[in-house]
Amino acid sequence: MDRSIPAIITGLVLLGVLVLMWRSWRKRSRRDAALTAGYPMPDNSGAALAGAETYYVATTPRDAPLERLAIGGLGFRARAAVTVTEAGVTLDLDGNQPVFIPGSAIDAVGAAQVAIDRVVETDGLVRLSWRLATGSASGPDDRRAVDSFFRIIDPNDRARLVDTIQTIAATAHQDESEA
């Protein structure tokens, strides 16, 4: 039997899959085009309280860890540095501009096991739950809730990073309620 016919069929199937993947990513990119990564970087964010080298996995809609958002600067996996200051969290992904998340936009930080194409040991990922900035400023309810996932490279940095993020988020929310 001639092997060229199965090879052609296999090639066409693979080409079809690649075309569908490309089309899906374009559609997702158009859907998420209005979303912006982070907030304006403050002039003085304060002293660094904690930091860690991480692998950035993805940013997804809240409680939908298998649906990647195509947000500029947060659309692809990368090595990253996460720095926590008094003002918020800065995500510095390799090859992208730093993304700043103020403490008031952070809802929670915790552990996760699954995100997009990454499944790790129990509590192997850090999940940062926060709200994206939007064009209107009518209140926190109009900001889209998302989760960003990271894998901390040095496990010794994990507890300090998570505790510091929880502290600055609680402080920012307390300051908001008092204002």
Side-chain angles (χ1 to χ4, degrees):
M1 183 173 170
D2 189 16
R3 292 185 180 195
S4 60
I5 292 175
I8 290 171
I9 291 171
T10 302
L12 289 173
V13 168
L14 289 176
L15 182 62
V17 168
L18 289 173
V19 167
L20 289 173
M21 289 171 53
W22 173 77
R23 197 175 110 203
S24 296
W25 186 256
R26 268 192 48 198
K27 186 176 179 182
R28 184 177 303 265
S29 295
R30 273 187 256 128
R31 177 197 71 188
D32 297 338
L35 302 176
T36 57
Y39 292 73
M41 192 72 74
D43 293 335
N44 182 13
S45 58
L49 303 174
E53 291 295 317
T54 69
Y55 293 111
Y56 167 76
V57 177
T59 296
T60 67
R62 178 78 43 90
D63 298 327
L66 301 178
E67 183 185 338
R68 182 184 304 271
L69 292 173
I71 303 171
L74 296 176
F76 299 101
R77 287 183 11 200
R79 193 171 175 120
V82 176
T83 306
V84 184
T85 64
E86 296 162 349
V89 176
T90 302
L91 313 176
D92 192 2
L93 279 62
D94 285 353
N96 294 295
Q97 293 294 320
V99 173
F100 177 73
I101 305 166
S104 60
I106 298 171
D107 295 327
V109 63
Q113 184 176 355
V114 176
I116 306 291
D117 59 350
R118 183 71 46 196
V119 178
V120 297
E121 72 278 359
T122 302
D123 300 339
L125 296 174
V126 172
R127 183 187 72 230
L128 178 64
S129 299
W130 56 290
R131 289 168 273 118
L132 293 173
T134 60
S136 63
S138 61
D141 293 335
D142 70 338
R143 296 186 288 179
R144 185 165 183 182
V146 298
D147 292 328
S148 292
F149 297 90
F150 305 91
R151 183 158 175 87
I152 307 293
I153 294 173
D154 183 356
N156 297 323
D157 293 337
R158 181 189 180 93
R160 188 171 141 208
L161 185 76
V162 168
D163 291 344
T164 307
I165 293 172
Q166 288 172 338
T167 301
I168 65 154
T171 302
H173 290 292
Q174 182 179 10
D175 290 348
E176 256 184 10
S177 65
E178 290 175 359

